[in-house]
Amino acid sequence: RQVAAASLMDRGMFITGGYGGSRLSSTEYLTSGTWEDGPALPVGIYHHCQVSLVPGEVIVAGMYAGCGGGGNTIHVYRWP
């Protein structure tokens, strides 16, 4: 997973998207040294931005959409 985005949260780290031969729609949580699968993104994204909003919540915005340039996507995720 490269060119992904991550946010440090109270319970650990939340990683979204990235590139691994193709755009990734997966997410992962890293808590106490253990990786867990997170919710799937609606589309594969990379070169995007991710920002913590309030405790346990992040916003994932934008993406690289190939030769067409950037995308206009915004998603909000809550730590389960």
Side-chain angles (χ1 to χ4, degrees), residues 39-80:
L41 300 169
V43 295
I45 60 175
Y46 65 107
H47 285 296
H48 55 290
C49 179
Q50 181 170 314
V51 179
S52 298
L53 295 175
V54 296
E57 193 171 271
V58 298
I59 188 167
V60 178
M63 68 175 185
Y64 179 71
C67 295
N72 296 322
T73 63
I74 297 175
H75 304 281
V76 177
Y77 292 92
R78 289 178 181 82
W79 191 284

